[in-house]
Amino acid sequence: MRKPFLLLFLLVGCCMANAKIQLPQLFQSGMVVQRGKPIPVWGKADPQEQIVIRWQKKQYTTTADEQGKWRIDLPKTKAGGPYTLTIGEHELTDVLVGDVWLCSGQSNIDVHIERVYPQYVDEIDHFDNNQIRLFRVRNATNTSGVQDDIMPTAWKPLTKENAWSFSALGTFLGIRMFEKTHVPQGVIVNSWGGTPIEAWLSADSLAKDNPQLLQKTRLYDNKDYVAAQMRANNSADRQWNQMLDEQDPGIANHYTALDCDDASWNTIDQNNWGWRGTGSTWLRQHIQIDKAHAGQPARLLLGTLFDADITYVNGQQVGRTYYQYPPRRYDIPEGVLREGDNVITIRFINKYGMAHFIPEKPYMLCFGADRFSQNPMPKDVIALSNKWLHHAGAEMPSCPSGDVSLQNLPTTLYNAVLYPLAPYALSGIVWYQGESNTGNPAPYAGYLKKLIGGWRSLWQEPTLPFCVVQLANYDGRQQTAYPRPITPQLTPTNSGWAQLREIQRQATLGDQYAETACLIDLGETVDIHPLRKKEAAERVALCMDRLVYGKTVALSPQPVGSRVEDAQVAVIFDQPMREGVAYEVEVAGADKHFVNVEATVKGAEVLFQSPIAQPVWVRYAWKDDPTRANIYNKKGMPAMPFEYELTR
């Protein structure tokens, strides 16, 4: 009679031994946990299983609930480490205690160190700080609801190699905060290029006011359909590219070869050339290399091209880029360039829009040890000509595609990559997003309010600091306007970018735990992904200096009052500014028909005489790319673009 009982006892004991405590991906060796706040630790186990945690020479216990979920909040801890955190059978080593930042949004928070490397070559070459840890959330979506964890990833110390494909703004933020605080820094980056704010909102926040948005997501809550559509899209894309190669005369006739006969090709000027077609087209440029440079390795700068390109030098492929935004920086190996005549060949591949150059970017061959730098530019360069030889490629029909970009649907990113991060303790959140919502900015005000409130509720921390990064200056006309250069916008215009910037500014005005970081002078007219990410990180850090550390800092000037006496108008700011003439100031009556005004900065006021009999509205830097905006405080911080209603 004892044998069955003994067998049952052994089976139960075996099951208990095999029971595993499951930890979220955030909890790994090398992690950084937040100082000065309770440290939530959570995970899954078998129902009713006892969880034992050992931390800082103390032991903490809890029991998993009926669903197997458990959580223990460890006490506040001072900065330091490395420590060991033991959770059941998991021993997490090299754990640091310091400040943790969550950086989220779309492509400008995602721009990698690799992209900005030419701006900060020497500094990036010397990245090596084990006190700064990087954590990249892998992209994922979920159309059916929130999930418990993110895809496998890891904490990594700051090195050039680890940062190369990590957020530049996030990296520089961590470095700057370490230099100021001398405590460990953890930077969590959770972003996806091109995504709208709706994808980062919870279903609950949208259910009441925007139920139709949720219906759109539910249409794609069918894994079989999505998988079938993606297979079909991939198959169509492969077929399109195969047909293109078969029909392109440049493939059969070796247009890439140095000895290709291009005497009959027509000549174009890259400053005013554009090819509006679908398929391929070819460009060639001959360059003369002297004996001193022959055989030397070089870097070819081809600015930014629209849309895709394959580039060759003397018949050898040196680079390929599949879409419009990345700068073309192609390395030419040693031995490829020869003395005398050489040829650069670009095969443009276009699926939509107009193939073209962005002439404002650099076009040159760079030699020497400093060839990777663009700040300053290398000393030994050969500038390329604006003139190119052109030959038609293959005309193709449009490539069929059914859009299954789940990352652009409402709630899908909140469900898959945001919800699982809470309640990991944070110092603050950086939100840099909005470019994808400039086409219809009006709803953004409600969305941004929902996002800030919803994320704070998720973390159960109503005072969680938020830094909203305001959109930088950028002129989207560069995608379609020819010839070059584009004439700057001087007259008042209705700008979706300016409207969204104003929403970002207004979102933090009445919130003592939020700030807007102004980047209106850190953008690039012709690049939606400006490269000065270190300077952008400094603006974010100044906001966090006030929000997190309570420091008194001079942030971007903003209007706080006004005075109207007859036709004399004074807009009063929250701080003194550099005095002088102010540009990009506009005034309007109640009809909001704005006109430019000549303004002057004196002390903390912007003064002008209104040509409008009854001035009601004033706005500043109200353009996609307000190139003449020049109002700064005494420490060099730009005034934030704004629209302001005058009081009498």
Side-chain angles (χ1 to χ4, degrees):
M1 296 294 295
R2 293 181 179 178
K3 288 184 178 180
F5 176 79
L6 178 61
L7 180 60
L8 178 63
F9 177 80
L10 292 173
L11 287 171
V12 171
C14 181
C15 291
M16 291 180 64
N18 289 332
K20 291 289 186 180
I21 295 173
Q22 300 175 36
L23 298 178
Q25 285 293 317
L26 282 162
F27 291 90
Q28 301 184 37
S29 294
M31 67 193 293
V32 181
V33 296
Q34 179 61 43
R35 63 169 169 158
K37 290 183 178 182
I39 304 170
V41 181
W42 73 95
K44 286 185 176 181
D46 288 342
Q48 303 304 315
E49 182 176 353
Q50 187 180 57
I51 313 300
V52 179
I53 295 181
R54 294 178 177 85
W55 171 250
Q56 301 283 288
K57 299 180 180 180
K58 292 184 179 181
Q59 181 171 301
Y60 306 86
T61 62
T62 191
T63 302
D65 65 15
E66 295 298 328
Q67 286 75 43
K69 296 181 179 181
W70 58 268
R71 172 176 168 174
I72 295 177
D73 286 359
L74 301 178
K76 298 177 183 179
T77 305
K78 293 182 179 179
Y83 302 118
T84 297
L85 172 62
T86 303
I87 307 170
E89 68 273 18
H90 300 278
E91 183 177 88
L92 310 183
T93 60
D94 192 26
V95 177
L96 301 180
V97 182
D99 291 332
V100 182
W101 312 97
L102 173 59
C103 301
S104 195
Q106 58 180 112
S107 56
N108 265 304
I109 198 75
D110 198 40
V111 165
H112 296 166
I113 283 293
E114 179 273 332
R115 179 80 68 88
V116 306
Y117 177 65
Q119 295 289 118
Y120 316 101
V121 168
D122 185 64
E123 182 173 358
I124 293 172
D125 281 344
H126 292 88
F127 276 178
D128 187 16
N129 191 333
N130 192 46
Q131 295 288 295
I132 302 172
R133 307 285 173 83
L134 314 176
F135 186 90
R136 180 63 169 94
V137 179
R138 292 173 59 191
N139 289 343
T141 62
N142 194 319
T143 57
S144 59
V146 296
Q147 60 190 52
D148 292 329
D149 203 4
I150 57 176
M151 296 176 67
T153 186
W155 289 91
K156 298 179 181 180
L158 174 62
T159 64
K160 178 182 177 181
E161 180 182 6
N162 290 338
W164 197 246
S165 58
F166 193 80
S167 163
L169 191 149
T171 300
F172 285 120
L173 176 64
I175 293 170
R176 192 274 193 188
M177 290 310 203
F178 178 80
E179 291 173 346
K180 294 293 183 179
T181 64
H182 305 291
V183 305
Q185 300 291 312
V187 182
I188 301 170
V189 170
N190 184 21
S191 57
W192 196 325
T195 54
I197 192 173
E198 295 92 321
W200 298 93
L201 295 173
S202 70
D204 289 344
S205 68
L206 293 173
K208 181 179 179 181
D209 300 326
N210 307 91
Q212 69 280 2
L213 290 179
L214 298 179
Q215 295 295 331
K216 183 179 180 181
T217 302
R218 293 192 184 107
L219 288 173
Y220 287 86
D221 191 17
N222 183 320
K223 293 182 179 179
D224 291 339
Y225 165 73
V226 171
Q229 188 63 61
M230 292 182 68
R231 285 194 301 270
N233 289 347
N234 291 335
S235 177
D237 189 67
R238 287 193 300 270
Q239 179 71 8
W240 191 90
N241 283 294
Q242 180 180 336
M243 292 173 59
L244 175 66
D245 288 348
E246 291 171 350
Q247 299 175 29
D248 193 332
I251 303 296
N253 296 320
H254 306 292
Y255 287 175
T256 64
L258 177 60
D259 60 359
C260 171
D261 184 3
D262 53 22
S264 63
W265 290 30
N266 63 301
T267 302
I268 62 95
D269 186 323
Q270 71 179 37
N271 290 338
N272 55 29
W273 174 81
W275 178 67
R276 188 175 296 281
T278 302
S280 65
T281 197
W282 295 81
L283 295 173
R284 283 165 62 92
Q285 180 171 151
H286 291 265
I287 52 174
Q288 298 299 310
I289 300 295
D290 59 25
K291 184 175 182 179
H293 293 98
Q296 295 298 311
R299 169 160 278 202
L300 173 62
L301 302 183
L302 281 178
T304 306
L305 308 176
F306 187 99
D307 180 36
D309 74 284
I310 309 174
T311 296
Y312 306 81
V313 173
N314 293 342
Q316 179 171 325
Q317 182 176 322
V318 296
R320 178 170 189 162
T321 305
Y322 292 89
Y323 65 111
Q324 69 188 87
Y325 293 118
R328 272 52 170 184
R329 305 170 187 147
Y330 297 146
D331 291 319
I332 302 174
E334 183 177 354
V336 173
L337 294 172
R338 67 178 199 172
E339 185 177 0
D341 186 44
N342 296 257
V343 69
I344 300 167
T345 307
I346 304 174
R347 185 193 187 201
F348 279 89
I349 298 176
N350 211 41
K351 292 187 177 180
Y352 71 99
M354 177 182 288
H356 62 273
F357 294 85
I358 306 298
E360 293 83 352
K361 293 287 187 174
Y363 294 82
M364 60 185 65
L365 271 175
C366 306
F367 297 87
D370 65 346
R371 65 185 180 275
F372 303 106
S373 174
Q374 286 180 234
N375 185 29
M377 291 298 293
K379 299 181 180 66
D380 189 2
V381 302
I382 298 175
L384 300 185
S385 169
N386 292 336
K387 307 295 184 181
W388 293 80
L389 299 173
H390 172 252
H391 195 289
E395 289 272 3
M396 290 284 293
S398 297
C399 183
S401 175
D403 185 14
V404 287
S405 300
L406 300 182
Q407 73 273 15
N408 295 330
L409 297 177
T411 77
T412 55
L413 298 183
Y414 178 93
N415 293 341
V417 294
L418 192 281
Y419 180 88
L421 303 182
Y424 200 83
L426 305 171
S427 265
I429 294 176
V430 180
W431 174 250
Y432 190 172
Q433 188 278 336
E435 296 91 341
S436 290
N437 290 90
T438 55
N440 181 26
Y444 198 84
Y447 293 153
L448 186 53
K449 182 178 179 180
K450 290 176 185 292
L451 184 135
I452 295 173
W455 288 20
R456 283 173 172 165
S457 295
L458 180 61
W459 262 265
Q460 298 180 330
E461 192 173 346
T463 62
L464 183 61
F466 247 92
C467 176
V468 176
V469 185
Q470 196 180 51
L471 297 185
N473 53 299
Y474 164 70
D475 191 340
R477 295 178 301 161
Q478 58 99 3
Q479 297 296 342
T480 57
Y482 292 91
R484 297 303 184 100
I486 299 172
T487 303
Q489 291 178 323
L490 300 179
T491 57
T493 183
N494 191 24
S495 162
W497 282 66
Q499 292 175 55
L500 197 131
R501 291 189 194 109
E502 177 65 2
I503 289 169
Q504 292 173 321
R505 183 183 78 90
Q506 292 283 350
T508 63
L509 277 182
D511 187 339
Q512 61 179 314
Y513 306 108
E515 288 285 1
T516 298
C518 178
L519 307 187
I520 198 61
D521 60 341
L522 295 182
E524 297 183 34
T525 296
V526 297
D527 198 335
I528 200 171
H529 302 118
L531 301 181
R532 296 171 64 190
K533 294 299 189 234
K534 180 180 179 180
E535 293 80 354
E538 175 63 23
R539 302 271 174 92
V540 171
L542 286 171
C543 293
M544 292 302 187
D545 284 346
R546 187 192 78 77
L547 295 171
V548 177
Y549 308 123
K551 295 182 179 180
T552 300
V553 293
L555 300 177
S556 289
Q558 297 192 60
V560 292
S562 61
R563 185 175 63 253
V564 180
E565 298 175 358
D566 296 326
Q568 298 297 319
V569 177
V571 180
I572 305 166
F573 283 72
D574 57 2
Q575 58 189 288
M577 296 169 292
R578 294 176 181 172
E579 298 190 348
V581 176
Y583 300 105
E584 302 284 7
V585 180
E586 305 167 7
V587 66
D591 60 359
K592 282 199 168 185
H593 179 71
F594 283 90
V595 297
N596 292 327
V597 294
E598 296 181 1
T600 303
V601 179
K602 186 173 183 180
E605 296 183 341
V606 173
L607 308 168
F608 62 88
Q609 184 168 351
S610 172
I612 306 294
Q614 296 291 325
V616 176
W617 297 94
V618 173
R619 64 189 190 190
Y620 167 70
W622 200 265
K623 296 179 177 68
D624 294 2
D625 182 35
T627 55
R628 299 187 304 161
N630 68 333
I631 301 178
Y632 286 81
N633 70 8
K634 293 184 178 297
K635 292 186 177 293
M637 289 288 286
M640 208 170 291
F642 64 84
E643 183 176 78
Y644 191 78
E645 187 173 8
L646 299 170
T647 56
R648 293 180 177 272

